[in-house]
Amino acid sequence: RIARIQEEELAQPDSSIARYNRVMEHEPDDEEAILALDRHYQRQGYWQELSEILRTRIMNANDDDMLELRLRLGGVYQDALDDAEQALETYQSILLEDPENPLAIERLEQMFMSGQAVTQVAAILEPYYSAREEHDKLISIYLQRLEMLDEPQEIFDVYMLVANTFINELEDKEG
């Protein structure tokens, strides 16, 4: 109750956070404290703490809430903590359960376009785009890979992938 007063009426977020943390020490599953800490950490920009409380919420979540929480966690890793490895792992876990999840795919595309974990992200997106015959996006992946290659044979192989993708695209349009 005191933590809530500090939060709502006195605008003392750090004191409120300390009190909610004391509640969590005695009652680690206290839903009110967990949600309040989530809210405080988000507002205050305490990203590492937010990632920890989101993991706690994920462990206690029902299936309906779990997806949203995992997407939030991936976003915290990606945007606030600049932890591409953890973000990638989080999005991959979402796609293992829901291979068509558009939000996880969108976040991976953002990672790819911003240069985060490009090789790993490309390995996930390439089969996804290929199966959906999204030729333009496949070519973007191939062209990005070209920028990272030094070996002539590897460069040739990627150019062949680009050429084959264009051919497949033409065949799809004619068919």
Side-chain angles (χ1 to χ4, degrees):
R1 181 165 156 33
I2 293 172
R4 199 171 350 167
I5 291 170
Q6 287 176 317
E7 174 185 2
E8 295 170 2
E9 296 175 22
L10 301 178
Q12 297 176 338
D14 288 332
S15 297
S16 182
I17 287 170
R19 291 217 184 256
Y20 281 121
N21 276 319
R22 281 196 287 282
V23 169
M24 294 285 293
E25 289 172 10
H26 300 289
E27 297 177 52
D29 294 330
D30 185 286
E31 188 67 21
E32 181 181 341
I34 291 170
L35 292 174
L37 287 170
D38 181 328
R39 195 171 49 251
H40 279 301
Y41 293 152
Q42 180 77 40
R43 277 191 209 137
Q44 298 301 114
Y46 297 164
W47 305 119
Q48 187 61 47
E49 293 84 352
L50 179 59
S51 72
E52 292 167 15
I53 206 74
L54 285 172
R55 285 194 300 273
T56 299
R57 289 190 63 195
I58 289 166
M59 288 188 306
N60 298 327
N62 61 40
D63 289 342
D64 294 337
D65 296 332
M66 191 176 300
L67 176 64
E68 177 189 340
L69 292 169
R70 286 170 44 198
L71 284 166
R72 277 188 64 207
L73 179 60
V76 168
Y77 285 135
Q78 180 182 350
D79 300 328
L81 295 174
D82 198 28
D83 188 339
E85 184 178 319
Q86 286 293 329
L88 182 65
E89 187 177 301
T90 303
Y91 298 138
Q92 276 183 304
S93 71
I94 293 168
L95 292 174
L96 285 174
E97 291 179 29
D98 180 8
E100 301 292 321
N101 186 285
L103 296 173
I105 294 295
E106 180 181 321
R107 297 298 290 184
L108 287 169
E109 289 172 339
Q110 290 171 0
M111 287 181 71
F112 183 82
M113 297 310 285
S114 68
Q116 293 178 303
V118 172
T119 304
Q120 299 92 325
V121 172
I124 296 167
L125 292 177
E126 187 174 345
Y128 177 83
Y129 293 152
S130 185
R132 285 151 194 79
E133 297 180 351
E134 295 185 38
H135 303 293
D136 291 343
K137 291 181 178 182
L138 264 175
I139 289 171
S140 292
I141 288 175
Y142 297 148
L143 294 176
Q144 182 75 22
R145 281 177 49 194
L146 277 172
E147 293 179 16
M148 297 184 288
L149 298 175
D150 294 323
E151 295 295 318
Q153 184 61 48
E154 291 176 337
I155 293 170
F156 174 79
D157 291 343
V158 172
Y159 273 121
M160 290 303 294
L161 287 171
V162 171
N164 285 329
T165 303
F166 276 119
I167 291 169
N168 290 336
E169 181 178 19
L170 288 174
E171 287 174 354
D172 289 346
K173 289 181 180 178
E174 289 175 359

